[in-house]
Amino acid sequence: MDFHPTEEQAAAAGLAARIFGDLATHDRLGAAGTGSDAELWKALTTAGLTAAVEDVGLLGLVLLLEEQGRTTAQVPYAATCVYGILALTRHGSDEQRARLLPALGSGDAVATGAFPDRGRITASPDGRLTGGAPAVPWLREATHVLVPDAAGALWLVRTDAPGVRTEPVETTAPWSAGALTLTAAEAERVGGEGAYADVLAVARTAFAGLQAGVCAGSLARAVEYTSTREQFGRPLSTNQGVMLRAADAYMDTEAIRVTAYEAAWRVDEGFPAGEHALTAAWWASEAGKRVVHAGQHLHGGMGADLDHPVHRHFLWGRQLDAYLGCGSELLAELGAVLSEDTPEDTPEDTPEDTPEDTPAYTLASTPEGDEA
């Protein structure tokens, strides 16, 4: 596998870093409240960074979301790219792509997803949806919602369609979230069998990349603070306990990043990636939680200040921890997937006690072209 970004991916990530760095400042984020920053969203779409996701793929999107996470920029970028552009690019019909992708790329349309499926929404034979989701990120900004039904089918719903009701809700992070209620709402089908599992894997990978950026930003703030804050005549960063805590946070951040890169690379190359997306999501949940707690603790009393920038990383990290499944839930799902791949009749005898006529069990060979 090759995690080196292409020239196009690197250019897009560099441009995103400049835009987020210039516009997602502490003062502007505070002024945005729980809503999105319209000026920043316009800057991103005008620069072509939303439409570019069609070309840079999931690995490119992970790189872009890292830059958003570093600044905790309040725009519906991840949701629109995952549940709109990539979902339609991978599973939409030619007509759907021609009709919807230009508006999503320009920012005139905003997409989000009522993910993951919790069995709360059902579809009638004529394609009308009934049910709801208690908290959908960026729903207050969205024009379209990608909705999985209890049978695993995907549907695209307009938020202004008859039978669709949205109400603002507050979540841990300021994600402009809302509660979605559907009552015989009109919807259009997106993709066929397997589309939901694929979009869920893409979402888990993308939001893991976002978490990697959140953690990197939190750690960078902690390093800056402990390097300049002095106690007993020397910087806090010279204390061994501080150095060890920061080192652990760095290793956790790198684990989130590399597992997200691997899952994204496999998706882009067309290899099975469900288990790898679960692994990335687990690291984003468990390790992400540790990193944002460390970032806050390393700020000492300042970390308890709700107006301090590091607190925003803490809120985002905890929201991402729970968004697509907390660590224990993801681990249980991963264990179930792995157990399905394990031969049921694996012999209990040790190699020395195995009769000569007993077939040997070996690791499954790597599929042709799937080289690790």
Side-chain angles (χ1 to χ4, degrees), residues 48-146:
L49 289 176
T50 309
V53 175
E54 293 182 60
D55 301 317
V56 301
L58 183 54
L59 182 55
L61 176 58
V62 166
L63 295 172
L64 292 166
L65 291 178
E66 278 192 75
E67 300 305 330
Q68 180 185 3
R70 290 178 197 276
T71 58
T72 61
Q74 289 175 205
V75 285
Y77 188 60
T80 293
C81 292
V82 169
Y83 300 122
I85 292 175
L86 285 183
L88 291 171
T89 299
R90 296 173 66 82
H91 301 288
S93 65
D94 291 340
E95 186 277 331
Q96 287 172 327
R97 288 194 290 267
R99 171 166 49 91
L100 295 168
L101 286 179
L104 290 167
S106 66
D108 294 329
V110 173
T112 187
F115 274 61
D117 167 45
R118 301 293 187 187
R120 298 188 179 104
I121 298 173
T122 58
S124 65
D126 61 348
R128 291 181 177 271
L129 304 183
T130 299
V136 179
W138 304 108
L139 183 62
R140 289 180 243 167
E141 319 288 342
T143 58
H144 297 78
V145 187
L146 191 65

Side-chain angles (χ1 to χ4, degrees), residues 326-371:
C326 64
S328 58
E329 181 181 358
L330 294 165
L331 195 60
E333 185 178 344
L334 180 59
V337 171
L338 294 175
S339 66
E340 292 175 1
D341 296 336
T342 303
E344 295 181 0
D345 299 323
T346 302
E348 297 179 356
D349 298 328
T350 61
E352 293 80 10
D353 298 330
T354 302
E356 293 181 359
D357 59 346
T358 300
Y361 285 79
T362 60
L363 291 174
S365 58
T366 303
E368 184 177 355
D370 184 3
E371 298 176 354

Side-chain angles (χ1 to χ4, degrees), residues 243-312:
M243 289 189 284
L244 291 174
R245 190 78 185 275
D248 286 342
Y250 173 79
M251 294 304 296
D252 273 337
T253 301
E254 289 302 296
I256 300 169
R257 178 180 287 119
V258 73
T259 52
Y261 285 5
E262 181 181 16
W265 177 83
R266 291 184 67 88
V267 169
D268 288 342
E269 294 298 318
F271 296 134
E275 297 173 13
H276 301 79
L278 276 168
T279 302
W282 181 84
W283 274 103
S285 174
E286 291 293 298
K289 194 163 43 181
R290 290 194 296 265
V291 173
V292 296
H293 274 263
Q296 196 170 29
H297 292 166
L298 289 174
H299 278 75
M302 293 299 296
D305 183 356
L306 301 184
D307 293 326
H308 195 280
V310 77
H311 189 69
R312 190 174 288 109

